[in-house]
Amino acid sequence: MVYKFRVILDTEDDVFRDIAILKDDTLEDLHNAIVNAFGFDGLEIASFYTCDEQWNQDEEISLFDTGDILGEQKIMSDYVLSDILDKTQTKIIYVYDFLSMWTFLVELAAIEEIEVGETYPSLLFTHGIMPAAAPEKDFSDSVISDFDYDEDDYDEDDLDLLDGGENFEDFGFEENWN
């Protein structure tokens, strides 16, 4: 079977690519297809993220093992597409180059039979021109921006342990501890 994906750049302008790839290929194969479809050089770190239907990010699947114990963390090449994506789970997020944060919404659009004579992965359709730089991310709706640091009786002055003559024994250690 062939998975047909629409890979959409997370930007206001419509920039997307349609890619066909075998369902038994890996996430690393999809990563390479996306890199080629969007014209990247492939020299940057990337990750996929599982997500729900509202694109809420969940588990990270990285290109390289970044865990504390080598070989313990599963990476893109360990995941066959059909193991994580199917008719019920159709969405995944892809981030390329963590300094620029090129972010793509990847959606499984169709599952079809293999076409005789076709090579996979293949670029089926392109729309839109890639911007010169990754779109800026707006984090203004994030939870931390809603936090009001002045709601309680504490402020930055409370963090200075030497100001105000507090007794260090109250904090469970002595003033000259080293």
Side-chain angles (χ1 to χ4, degrees), residues 70-84:
L70 191 62
E72 188 174 80
Q73 178 183 0
K74 288 180 77 172
I75 58 175
M76 287 183 199
S77 61
D78 295 326
Y79 288 90
V80 173
L81 292 175
S82 60
D83 288 343
I84 60 171

Side-chain angles (χ1 to χ4, degrees), residues 17-78:
R17 307 290 185 261
D18 291 347
I19 297 171
I21 188 168
L22 297 174
K23 77 172 192 157
D24 294 329
D25 283 342
T26 66
L27 278 177
E28 185 176 19
D29 297 322
L30 181 58
H31 153 76
N32 291 328
I34 293 170
V35 164
N36 290 330
F38 285 93
F40 293 120
D41 59 17
L43 300 175
E44 302 299 333
I45 300 289
S47 285
F48 282 100
Y49 295 88
T50 58
C51 62
D52 62 18
E53 284 299 310
Q54 288 74 41
W55 298 102
N56 294 310
Q57 183 176 310
D58 193 23
E59 176 190 356
E60 179 181 14
I61 304 168
S62 61
L63 182 58
F64 302 109
D65 188 343
T66 57
D68 292 335
I69 301 171
L70 191 62
E72 188 174 80
Q73 178 183 0
K74 288 180 77 172
I75 58 175
M76 287 183 199
S77 61
D78 295 326

Side-chain angles (χ1 to χ4, degrees), residues 1-3 21-25 111-114 120:
M1 299 300 287
V2 174
Y3 278 7
I21 188 168
L22 297 174
K23 77 172 192 157
D24 294 329
D25 283 342
I111 302 173
E112 298 178 357
E113 294 294 325
I114 295 174
Y120 298 100

